[in-house]
Amino acid sequence: MTTGTTRKVLLLPGDGIGPEVMAPVAELLLELAKRKVLPVEVREGLIGGAAYDKTGHPLPPETVSLALDSDAVLLAAVGGPRYDTLPYEHRPERALLGIREKLGAFANLRPAKLIPQLANASTLKPEVIAGLDLLVVRELTGGIYFGAPRGIVTENGVRVGINTERYSEPEIERIARVAFTVARNRRKKVTSVDKANVLESSVLWREVVTRVQKDFPEVALDHMYVDNAAMQLVRNPGQFDVIVTGNIFGDILSDEASQLTGSIGMLASASVGGRTGLFEPIHGSAPDIAGKDMANPSAMFLSFAMLLDHSLREPGLARSLERGVESVLGEGIRTKDIAEPGSQVVGCAEMGRRITRAFWTHHEKGADKT
Ligand code: IPM
Ligand code: MG
């Protein structure tokens, strides 16, 4: 039983399958509060297309204030075809970038770990992905996503689209520190990914990461160009422990890494660095299956586990939840996206109930404390 001050958690279900995958996690959170396992106040807010429909803005100011006043934010997914034709500023994706920036969540941790029960889900050969356990540390509030100048301008009658890749020394230094710090508790290896053969921002990136490593002598560092890294990830992913990289390279490589496990519906992420952490599944809003009770809520539960770990400092509860997910998979219970011959396919709500039940079993067995 946990004591201490009440922590505030903001839930942002968003669009598409978001509300469906959030529902069982919200229920678990409320139950944790009710049983006084976790002193937590649960709030809910609007984001993405859902927010645009109600308020005319994908990231309403009330959502930002609620987020800044919370200890952690759990976000499901944003976006959908209905919003694809909106002007850039009103697109649901802008809300994602906006909330990351407002929260100062500059470090995006995206683990890609093979769950043994799902080894057959990958398109790669089993021997290539055996034991796969890597973490992409993606810089999240800088680089070409935010650099100025940007825009679409007309020069001598010709339209030109402009974006700027830009990294300052402090921005590189702080993300490098996060990468080396997490690597210390892992296999103690960091691969820094850049394009230093072409881009000055990468030359500086490489220099600063190399310097920061001196403060972490127990962690090994190597550097890789991004094109090679993309290739090495499918050739021999086992060589990676922690990959640290800038915003756009991290966007691309983390999608690639997630697919190595074959099950994007299983992968969680944490965006940290500010006072309030932001936790979200890697998968999107999957409009094609929204509202059909087909989505896989596992990544949402595992994102909540990351929230318990990083923001609420409840590693015991986080482990029980991870074990809960694994034991349900171990029983052969699957959502459609990860179904295998012989497994029992259930819907999103039922998967959520099973995971919740398995969590409580582990929790009550005292697995939290081990
Ligand atoms: C991600 C997504 C976002 C990104 C999009 C939706 C803005 O791809 O979280 O990786 O590019 O950061
Ligand atoms: Mg992405």
Side-chain angles (χ1 to χ4, degrees), residues 7-231:
R7 269 82 56 93
K8 300 175 201 159
V9 176
L10 173 65
L11 305 181
L12 300 175
D15 306 319
I17 59 169
E20 287 166 74
V21 294
M22 182 68 90
V25 179
E27 225 168 272
L28 171 59
L29 193 49
L30 291 171
E31 189 68 21
L32 283 165
K34 195 169 128 210
R35 295 202 201 176
K36 301 199 183 339
V37 176
L38 193 63
V40 71
E41 180 194 321
V42 185
R43 304 116 159 240
E44 198 170 314
L46 289 169
I47 198 164
Y52 177 79
D53 287 340
K54 288 222 173 86
T55 71
H57 200 282
L59 183 61
E62 308 81 72
T63 299
V64 174
S65 326
L66 269 176
L68 287 169
D69 179 54
S70 298
D71 295 285
V73 177
L74 190 61
L75 187 152
V78 298
R82 281 207 298 129
Y83 310 106
D84 283 350
T85 47
L86 286 175
Y88 181 73
E89 279 310 311
H90 287 146
R91 302 262 312 241
E93 293 81 0
R94 290 295 307 157
L96 259 190
L97 301 184
I99 195 160
R100 290 169 180 171
E101 191 185 18
K102 296 276 190 225
L103 294 179
F106 69 85
N108 183 212
L109 314 181
R110 297 190 161 182
K113 187 173 175 183
L114 187 73
I115 299 185
Q117 290 88 342
L118 295 179
N120 293 326
S122 178
T123 46
L124 297 192
K125 292 186 189 131
E127 62 269 28
V128 176
I129 50 154
L132 176 82
D133 180 7
L134 63 83
L135 174 69
V136 178
V137 176
R138 167 190 178 195
E139 199 293 324
L140 201 60
T141 53
I144 198 166
Y145 273 56
F146 293 92
R150 67 183 299 154
I152 300 175
V153 298
T154 303
E155 288 173 2
N156 303 325
V158 178
R159 295 218 304 153
V160 185
I162 302 171
N163 292 94
T164 304
E165 171 75 353
R166 183 197 150 92
Y167 272 115
S168 68
E169 282 200 84
E171 281 177 309
I172 304 168
E173 182 166 337
R174 66 185 186 177
I175 192 72
R177 284 196 185 281
V178 170
F180 288 118
T181 305
V182 294
R184 269 206 297 228
N185 295 323
R186 296 177 46 100
R187 299 196 308 282
K188 301 184 176 50
K189 183 180 171 197
V190 169
T191 303
S192 173
V193 172
D194 62 39
K195 189 72 183 170
N197 50 347
V198 178
L199 306 175
E200 283 83 356
S201 59
S202 281
V203 172
L204 185 66
W205 178 280
R206 197 173 272 226
E207 190 189 306
V208 174
V209 173
T210 304
R211 189 176 71 224
V212 172
Q213 189 269 335
K214 304 278 183 279
D215 293 341
F216 298 85
E218 69 277 42
V219 181
L221 169 67
D222 62 1
H223 301 273
M224 211 178 259
Y225 296 138
V226 63
D227 48 351
N228 184 28
M231 190 254 286

